Amino acid sequence: MLKDITLGQYFPGNSLLHKLDPRMKLILTLLYIVTIFFANNLITVAILTLAAFLLVPLGQIPMKTVLKSLKPLRWIILFTTVLNLFWVKDGKQLVDFYFIDIYSGGIVYAASMALRVTALLAGTTLLISYTTSPIALTDGLEQMLSPLKKIKVPVHEFAMMMTIALRFIPTLIEETDKIMSAQKARGADFETGSLLSRAKALIPIFIPLFVSAIRRADDLATAMECRCYHGGTGRTRMNRLHYSLRDLFALLCFLLFMAGIIALRWAPLPAFLGI
Amino acid sequence: MPFIETKNLSFTYTDEDDPQPVLHEVSLSFEKGEFVAILGRNGSGKSTFAKLLNLVLEATDGTITIDGKSVHAELSEAEIIDLRKKVGMVFQNPDNQLVATVVEEDVAFGPENLGIEPAEIRRRVDEALEIVGMTDYARHAPHKLSGGQKQRIAIAGVIAMLPDCILFDESTAMLDPRGRAEVMETVEKLNREQGITVLLITHNMDEAVRADRVVVIDDGRVQMDGTPREVFAKVDELFALGLAVPQATELAARLELSGVPLTPVEGADAVENWFNT
């Protein structure tokens, strides 16, 4: 039952987006977020959203999967849209019906807000979550943040913890499954009863799980020590990440795009579209 | 000079109210290239012995010498790492000794800790995976492998550090018969082809028979030490120590007890007699 759980939203593949260096993807994501906040016009926000969706075929990810990931956001989008629609009182008044006043500025603002949130989520998930495996992401973060070691930030230790967590999540899930079966075989009931009694029924699962996890941690610590682990100092890596021409190309393309969006701030666009 | 030598090695678990002596004056020596099985029932002190040789625990009394260097409390971290590198260890639970989420990354873990150049690590990882026959699984996730395969990856992780000796601490105890066969085959191959000294801690007699030498530890003391033939001949003593003997040996012993002759000459005579009567 718990077997088919997946970590994060990683969608294995071999596309251009998958092949980019994880560090480059992190940089691009940051730049993308910055660009979204630079966009001051409904048209530029729309272009940004469109650009995010252009990444879908580039990453060879089914559109359906992407739309599904946006689904939990629909209430937030709806809420901000409605709020902006009634609260912003700029531009021409379009509706005046008792307490409902809608201005043209409100519509533009609401639409661009909805697009901004969509772009933010679609862009970041496409660049990072869907096309980068958690392992690559950990490696990327470790190498990117390694200069912070100089000011005593335990970057290596955090990366090691992440790796070990990723390694043991499937193992612990399997174990949970086994413990649940064992408790069921003794007549434990997890499905019926009030919420409280169902929560109580989970105690006989969690206690053995914790005990075993602690035992595993102890074993693993000994095993790591035996394999000469002594922290991050003097440690080398077999696979170091290298930026390739592809990464440089992606960065250049993005910088051009970003420059274009920022330039549009001063473009003679219809004033009523401004936000 | 023996590769590993212990003299009067004692160890007591220090629990304030209730110190637990585990090993009493164990003096053993192992030559380079030897394949030694260390037998003993649960709680006999055999795992503690292994942890002492790998410097995970520190002896209460007595000395250990590994490759001419003596082990003592004042060793620097670099010296400890250098000794640990020589004596690798494979544990019982295959799940609890794999660190990375990709097989080859896990094999690289040891050499990475030693600060070896990336190109050399790559070479060692490929070679280690080749030796244990897991090259095809280099990019797999460890949790999807069988117990025997995981254990072979753990072995590869140790081989990649180029040790002189590998300690197997009941490494087959949690495996199914097939996984056990895979691991034992790898262990024998390492010993015969790579010349690695193997210390195999086990309570499986059929594995112990395959060693050059069998050491029996009970109650923290060395009880027997000899070739499998010598040790397993003492069936009564082994039973008294709570150990079984290999099935073939047990059969032979029981046949002997019930008066069935065992040497070829005696057997031939018996057959002849049987035909004549």
Side-chain angles (χ1 to χ4, degrees), chain B residues 132-172:
Chain B
V132 299
M134 291 293 289
T135 308
D136 295 343
Y137 295 87
R139 302 289 314 159
H140 280 232
H143 71 264
K144 290 195 176 137
L145 303 177
S146 74
Q149 287 173 326
K150 278 183 214 166
Q151 211 58 309
R152 275 149 70 197
I153 297 303
I155 295 174
V158 173
I159 303 174
M161 292 164 64
L162 306 183
D164 297 304
C165 171
I166 303 181
L167 276 160
F168 293 86
D169 190 0
E170 300 203 26
S171 305
T172 57

Side-chain angles (χ1 to χ4, degrees), chain A residues 149-222:
Chain A
K149 278 179 198 161
K150 288 205 181 85
I151 53 164
K152 303 243 157 88
V153 179
V155 177
H156 165 76
E157 283 74 11
F158 278 125
M160 197 71 217
M161 275 160 59
M162 268 295 283
T163 313
I164 292 173
L166 288 171
R167 154 75 187 83
F168 277 93
I169 285 169
T171 310
L172 290 179
I173 288 173
E174 216 168 278
E175 182 135 6
T176 315
D177 237 7
K178 248 186 232 164
I179 296 171
M180 275 177 101
S181 309
Q183 305 292 34
K184 272 186 201 158
R186 292 170 196 167
D189 178 11
F190 303 118
E191 268 104 29
T192 55
S194 67
L195 202 62
L196 191 70
S197 65
R198 264 190 282 173
K200 266 188 188 156
L202 289 178
I203 294 174
I205 292 174
F206 282 121
I207 290 175
L209 190 64
F210 277 130
V211 171
S212 127
I214 290 167
R215 195 169 294 148
R216 274 181 201 284
D218 190 42
D219 277 3
L220 185 72
T222 313

Side-chain angles (χ1 to χ4, degrees), chain B residues 88-228:
Chain B
M89 192 144 164
V90 179
F91 294 87
Q92 183 175 37
N93 191 327
D95 270 318
N96 296 358
Q97 48 188 323
L98 302 180
V99 187
T101 37
V102 181
V103 164
E104 61 173 20
E105 294 267 342
D106 189 84
V107 178
F109 183 73
E112 284 176 346
N113 289 334
L114 297 174
I116 288 157
E117 287 303 308
E120 169 68 7
I121 298 180
R122 169 95 295 193
R123 202 188 59 74
R124 286 190 186 187
V125 168
D126 291 344
E127 197 183 296
L129 284 172
E130 174 82 46
I131 293 172
V132 299
M134 291 293 289
T135 308
D136 295 343
Y137 295 87
R139 302 289 314 159
H140 280 232
H143 71 264
K144 290 195 176 137
L145 303 177
S146 74
Q149 287 173 326
K150 278 183 214 166
Q151 211 58 309
R152 275 149 70 197
I153 297 303
I155 295 174
V158 173
I159 303 174
M161 292 164 64
L162 306 183
D164 297 304
C165 171
I166 303 181
L167 276 160
F168 293 86
D169 190 0
E170 300 203 26
S171 305
T172 57
M174 292 180 71
L175 305 179
D176 56 12
R178 195 171 149 195
R180 204 169 276 184
E182 280 170 22
V183 170
M184 279 312 290
E185 207 173 287
T186 315
V187 170
E188 285 192 320
K189 193 173 155 194
L190 286 178
N191 180 251
R192 310 259 183 268
E193 290 172 20
Q194 311 287 320
I196 291 174
T197 314
V198 170
L199 302 187
L200 183 81
I201 294 170
T202 180
H203 49 221
N204 183 318
M205 299 301 145
D206 294 311
E207 285 169 12
V209 181
R210 293 157 85 162
D212 303 329
R213 177 178 155 203
V214 177
V215 174
V216 179
I217 293 184
D218 193 64
D219 201 16
R221 291 183 177 81
V222 176
Q223 303 286 355
M224 292 182 215
D225 184 352
T227 61

Side-chain angles (χ1 to χ4, degrees), chain A residues 99-121:
Chain A
F99 58 93
I100 301 174
D101 304 324
I102 294 176
Y103 291 82
S104 65
I107 292 175
V108 171
Y109 205 84
S112 65
M113 231 19 184
L115 283 176
R116 252 185 192 168
V117 175
T118 316
L120 199 64
L121 194 84

